[in-house]
Amino acid sequence: MDKRVTPAAAARLAGNYVWVMGMVFLGQVLGGLISSVVTVASYGVLAGGETDAMILALKTDSAAPLGITGQSASAASALYSACPYLMFVGIWIVALVYLRFSRRSRPVLRAVGTFTRGNTAGNLALGLLVGLVLNGVCALIAVATGSVSLSLVGVNVGGLVLLAVTVFVQSSAEELLCRCYLYQKTLRTSGSPVVAVVASSLLFGVLHLLNTGVTALSIVNIVLVGVLFGLMVWRLDSPWMAFAAHASWNFMQNVLLGLPNSGHVIPFALFGIAPGTTPAAGVAYDPVFGIEGSVAAALALLAGCAFVWWLGERRNVAATDVWGEAADPDAS
């Protein structure tokens, strides 16, 4: 139920949203250092101690120094592609340290673990399935309508596992900030899960404003993605489901299909753009931003929201109160 929000509480909540931007900045600085060191060291093992090529590739933001042009399933391509995803481990570190030592925010940690009753293996698996299906349907439409043609790039099981892990790190870090921290803070202040879902989803859209190829439609769709993940938290009491759905959507689009993911392109892929073909804008595809920039994505995300709402009604799940009776009622 909604409750009266005092000006002081509203100001503290606004500060939480600003602080999320701060955690993103600090986390990416720390994560950038960690991921670069790990990537260069791993490449050194792979290349018999030679690291110059990977250092140059990371410095120039191009895989060309590694001898990679276009899409590739090589081990070097996998390492290079995993680096920007692994960077988000810094956000996890910054956020967890902050939550551990912040008296007012520490209860949010309960949303990350099994204290929250909806955080189950079943909901994690369901989230993976939802992300794969929604993205896969849009991709099939893009292929069927001629917007994009795909062909096999190559099979590298180790590379796929590495990217699966690092994509999960990236996706779950964004969910930690938006669907755990901001959702719980907004819910605590407003008393309204609707406000919590909408407000955290709008901030999620803001975080993507500088992505390559961003359009008005793509931002609307990113906000809809946020609503979908927010409903998983509200109606199914499961941040884990949101973690998984986010990760599987990104993994399907960027790694399995080799397509731009919200404007982000990596060289490593299982499938990719067929040689000699040029992607075209269509009902299910934006050549620069990817599937998220399309009308089909909007429809798929709305269908996903309807499914989660229906499932929530069917299960009648009671949301876990992470704050508990001992929490400071004036804290936001």
Side-chain angles (χ1 to χ4, degrees), residues 29-47 49-51 54-55 58 66 75-76 78-90 93 162-163 165-166 169:
V29 170
L30 175 61
L33 177 61
I34 293 172
S35 62
S36 296
V37 170
V38 170
T39 301
V40 170
S42 300
Y43 181 77
V45 173
L46 182 70
E50 174 57 49
T51 60
M54 181 60 77
I55 292 173
L58 296 179
L66 300 170
L79 286 173
Y80 174 80
S81 298
C83 186
Y85 284 118
L86 183 58
M87 179 189 301
F88 283 74
V89 74
I93 294 171
L162 173 64
L163 265 298
V165 171
T166 53
V169 169

Side-chain angles (χ1 to χ4, degrees), residues 208-230:
H208 292 77
L209 282 175
L210 298 181
N211 285 33
T212 303
V214 68
T215 64
L217 177 58
S218 65
I219 290 300
V220 168
N221 284 345
I222 294 297
V223 173
L224 278 177
V225 168
V227 171
L228 172 62
F229 298 156

Side-chain angles (χ1 to χ4, degrees), residues 57-332:
L58 296 179
K59 186 178 296 185
T60 60
D61 195 24
S62 169
L66 300 170
I68 299 170
T69 56
Q71 293 174 302
S72 166
S74 70
S77 176
L79 286 173
Y80 174 80
S81 298
C83 186
Y85 284 118
L86 183 58
M87 179 189 301
F88 283 74
V89 74
I91 291 177
W92 266 103
I93 294 171
V94 169
L96 290 179
V97 169
Y98 167 70
L99 292 174
R100 174 62 183 82
F101 291 101
S102 170
R103 178 182 63 84
R104 283 183 168 176
S105 299
R106 191 178 303 131
V108 174
L109 284 172
R110 296 170 174 173
V112 183
T114 54
F115 178 89
T116 294
R117 292 181 293 272
N119 283 343
T120 63
N123 279 336
L124 186 74
L126 182 58
L128 290 173
L129 181 62
V130 168
L132 290 173
V133 169
L134 292 181
N135 191 270
V137 166
C138 293
L140 284 175
I141 295 173
V143 170
T145 55
S147 287
V148 64
S149 296
L150 301 175
S151 63
L152 182 67
V153 173
V155 179
N156 182 333
V157 175
L160 289 173
V161 171
L162 173 64
L163 265 298
V165 171
T166 53
V167 167
F168 190 87
V169 169
Q170 172 264 327
S171 300
S172 61
E174 293 184 359
E175 294 307 303
L176 173 65
L177 295 181
C178 292
R179 252 62 64 179
C180 291
Y181 179 71
L182 286 182
Y183 176 87
Q184 291 295 341
K185 284 288 193 175
T186 308
L187 179 62
R188 180 68 171 164
T189 300
S190 69
S192 168
V194 173
V195 172
V197 168
V198 172
S200 59
S201 298
L202 289 173
L203 191 279
F204 189 58
V206 169
L207 291 175
H208 292 77
L209 282 175
L210 298 181
N211 285 33
T212 303
V214 68
T215 64
L217 177 58
S218 65
I219 290 300
V220 168
N221 284 345
I222 294 297
V223 173
L224 278 177
V225 168
V227 171
L228 172 62
F229 298 156
L231 288 176
M232 292 174 179
V233 176
W234 172 22
R235 303 296 296 161
L236 298 175
D237 193 35
S238 186
W240 283 13
M241 187 177 179
F243 288 7
H246 192 160
S248 60
W249 175 287
N250 288 358
F251 184 74
M252 167 68 88
Q253 186 168 324
N254 219 181
V255 182
L256 295 184
L257 301 179
L259 302 176
N261 175 219
S262 297
H264 177 60
V265 180
I266 59 173
F268 182 86
L270 178 64
F271 289 89
I273 305 299
T277 66
T278 302
V283 68
Y285 191 68
D286 180 302
V288 179
F289 202 80
I291 286 170
E292 296 92 343
S294 71
V295 172
L299 297 176
L301 291 167
L302 288 171
C305 290
F307 168 73
V308 172
W309 186 274
W310 169 81
L311 193 59
E313 290 289 303
R314 183 180 177 86
R315 291 184 178 180
N316 193 26
V317 177
T320 301
D321 179 10
V322 302
W323 301 99
E325 294 299 324
D328 178 1
D330 293 325
S332 64

Side-chain angles (χ1 to χ4, degrees), residues 12-36:
R12 285 196 298 269
L13 181 61
N16 296 146
Y17 278 73
V18 173
W19 174 227
V20 161
M21 305 298 285
M23 284 193 283
V24 169
F25 174 76
L26 293 174
Q28 290 194 332
V29 170
L30 175 61
L33 177 61
I34 293 172
S35 62
S36 296

